[in-house]
Amino acid sequence: MQAVRQSFIQYVLSEIARLFRSGLTGRVWSGFTGSFSKCVSSSTTYAFFTRDGLWQRRWRTSMLHRLIGLLLGLIPRGLTHICARRGKRERCFTAYCLDALADRRHIMIGLVFMLMLCIPYELWNNLYGAAGAAAVFVLYYFWAIPRRRAELIDADALSPMYLVFLFCVALGFFFSEHAGLSLRFVIFHLACALTVLAVPGSAVNAKQLRTMLYIVLVGLLVSSLYGCWQAITGVEYLAYQLDASINTGITGRIYSFFSNPNNYCTFIVMLLPFALALFISAESVRERVFCAVVLIITLISCGATYSRSGWIGLIAAVVIFIIFTDWRYIPMLAALCLLALPLLPETIITRLTTIGNMKDSSSRNRMQIY
C-alpha cells in the first residue's frame, strides 16, 4: 500500500479529489462519507466480516493444527540434526548447484507459471506443473530448511478452509464416474497445495517477489500477443461458445494458448491486478513502460475473449483495488466507466447486453445446469 500512496496515479487522483473536496459539493460529500464511514466501522456487520472466523480461531489451538505442524517439521528437524552432527558440509559441485537453486526458488516458480501461460494446451499436461511445484517444494523442504537453518513451514499456510477444499477434491475423485479425467484436477490441486507451502519460503523479500511476478508477466505478455494475433487473423466460430443469433457481429472468441476463451480470461483476471500493482510501484521508467504494455495488450485480449464472467470478475477486481486504496473514489470510477461506454467496440456492447438474457443459449444452458 505504501507503493500505491507514492505512485503517480495516486498523486493525480489525490489532486482531483482535493479540487472536488474544496467545493460545496465536495464538503457535503465529505461530511456524508465521514458519517457513513463511522457508522459502518462501528457496526456489528462490519465487526462480523472483519473478525477471524470461528474455524480460524479454533484452528490455531486445535490438535490437528499441532499434528500437521509436527508432520511438516518432522523431516527438516531430523535432517537439521544430521547436518549439525556432520558439521561443515562438504564442498562439491552438486552441493554448489543445489545451493544456487535454493537461493533462486522464486525464479523457478516464476518460470513454471510462465511456461504454463506459453505452452499450447495440446502440449501441456498438469503433471508438468505438479512436477515443477514438487521440485521447488522438495528443494525448499529437504535442502534449504535443514542446511540453512531456515524457519520450518508454518501450518497456518494451509488454512482450515483450504484443507476442507483439498478434502473435497479427494472425495470428488473417489466418487467420480470418470476417475481418469478427475485425476488431472487432483494433480493440478496438489501442485497448487505444494506451491502454497513453498512460495512463502521462496520469495523472502519484496525484490524476489517482484522478480517472480515479472517473469510471470512475460508469459502473460506472450500469450496476450498471440491472443491479439488471433483477433487480427480470426478464429474458428464454435457454436457451443457463442450464440450467433444473439451476439451479432462477433465471428469468434480468441483463446490464445488455452482450449477455452473463459479459461484464458480467468488467467487474465487473476494476473492483471499484479501487473497493475507492479505498474504503480515501478522503480524505473523501463519497468513502468513494460507493465503498461502488458496492461494494454492483455486488456485488448481480455476484450477479444468475449468472456462475460471474466469481464465482471475484472470489474470486481478493480472495485476491490479502489476500495483498498480509498473507497471514496468509487463514484469517480463509476462516472469514468459510464463515459467510457461510447468508446467501446460495438461487439463488446452487444456481448454485455446479453448478460442475463435467457434467449442466449449459453445463459439458458447454465440455468438448466444450476
Side-chain angles (χ1 to χ4, degrees), residues 82-370:
I82 293 174
C83 291
R85 290 186 60 183
R86 292 183 61 183
K88 187 176 181 180
R89 65 178 183 271
E90 298 177 1
R91 295 289 181 179
C92 63
F93 180 74
T94 303
Y96 175 81
C97 292
L98 290 175
D99 275 339
L101 290 174
D103 287 334
R104 294 165 177 81
R105 294 187 304 277
H106 59 289
I107 296 178
M108 295 171 62
I109 293 176
L111 289 174
V112 170
F113 278 102
M114 184 186 73
L115 292 175
M116 187 184 299
L117 291 167
C118 296
I119 295 179
Y121 174 81
E122 296 79 12
L123 303 177
W124 179 260
N125 191 308
N126 284 341
L127 284 173
Y128 302 154
V136 175
F137 177 77
V138 168
L139 184 67
Y140 172 57
Y141 188 72
F142 288 92
W143 181 265
I145 290 180
R147 302 176 76 90
R148 309 294 181 81
R149 312 297 193 268
E151 295 182 0
L152 298 176
I153 296 176
D154 190 359
D156 287 335
L158 289 177
S159 67
M161 294 307 298
Y162 193 68
L163 291 175
V164 171
F165 170 72
L166 293 178
F167 175 77
C168 291
V169 170
L171 201 64
F173 169 72
F174 287 110
F175 284 91
S176 173
E177 295 182 358
H178 305 281
L181 293 176
S182 298
L183 183 60
R184 295 171 52 198
F185 295 96
V186 173
I187 293 173
F188 176 78
H189 290 301
L190 175 62
C192 293
L194 293 176
T195 304
V196 166
L197 290 173
V199 164
S202 299
V204 295
N205 55 51
K207 183 179 180 181
Q208 291 181 345
L209 178 61
R210 290 169 64 89
T211 301
M212 181 176 69
L213 291 176
Y214 273 118
I215 295 174
V216 176
L217 289 190
V218 170
L220 181 63
L221 178 61
V222 172
S223 63
S224 298
L225 286 171
Y226 183 60
C228 290
W229 173 254
Q230 287 181 331
I232 294 172
T233 59
V235 293
E236 180 185 0
Y237 168 77
L238 299 175
Y240 71 90
Q241 291 182 355
L242 196 66
D243 190 340
S245 62
I246 301 296
N247 301 275
T248 56
I250 303 176
T251 57
R253 301 173 58 188
I254 70 165
Y255 48 86
S256 187
F257 296 115
F258 298 81
S259 63
N260 185 282
N262 290 333
N263 293 345
Y264 173 46
C265 196
T266 299
F267 277 90
I268 290 177
V269 173
M270 287 191 296
L271 295 176
L272 265 185
F274 292 105
L276 179 60
L278 289 174
F279 174 79
I280 292 174
S281 61
E283 298 176 348
S284 66
V285 176
R286 182 176 57 184
E287 292 180 1
R288 182 164 280 113
V289 169
F290 171 75
C291 293
V293 170
V294 172
L295 285 168
I296 294 171
I297 294 178
T298 306
L299 282 173
I300 294 173
S301 294
C302 181
T305 62
Y306 294 103
S307 174
R308 296 168 297 189
S309 58
W311 294 347
I312 294 174
L314 189 60
I315 293 172
V318 172
V319 170
I320 292 172
F321 187 85
I322 295 296
I323 289 175
F324 282 157
T325 306
D326 191 337
W327 67 271
R328 288 173 294 184
Y329 292 139
I330 292 297
M332 188 185 305
L333 175 65
L336 290 174
C337 290
L338 292 175
L339 292 173
L341 285 176
L343 304 177
L344 294 176
E346 185 178 350
T347 52
I348 290 183
I349 298 294
T350 301
R351 186 67 173 163
L352 286 172
T353 57
T354 62
I355 296 178
N357 188 345
M358 288 299 103
K359 294 182 180 180
D360 183 85
S361 59
S362 178
S363 300
R364 188 168 59 250
N365 292 337
R366 282 193 176 93
M367 290 306 298
Q368 292 175 356
I369 292 172
Y370 296 152

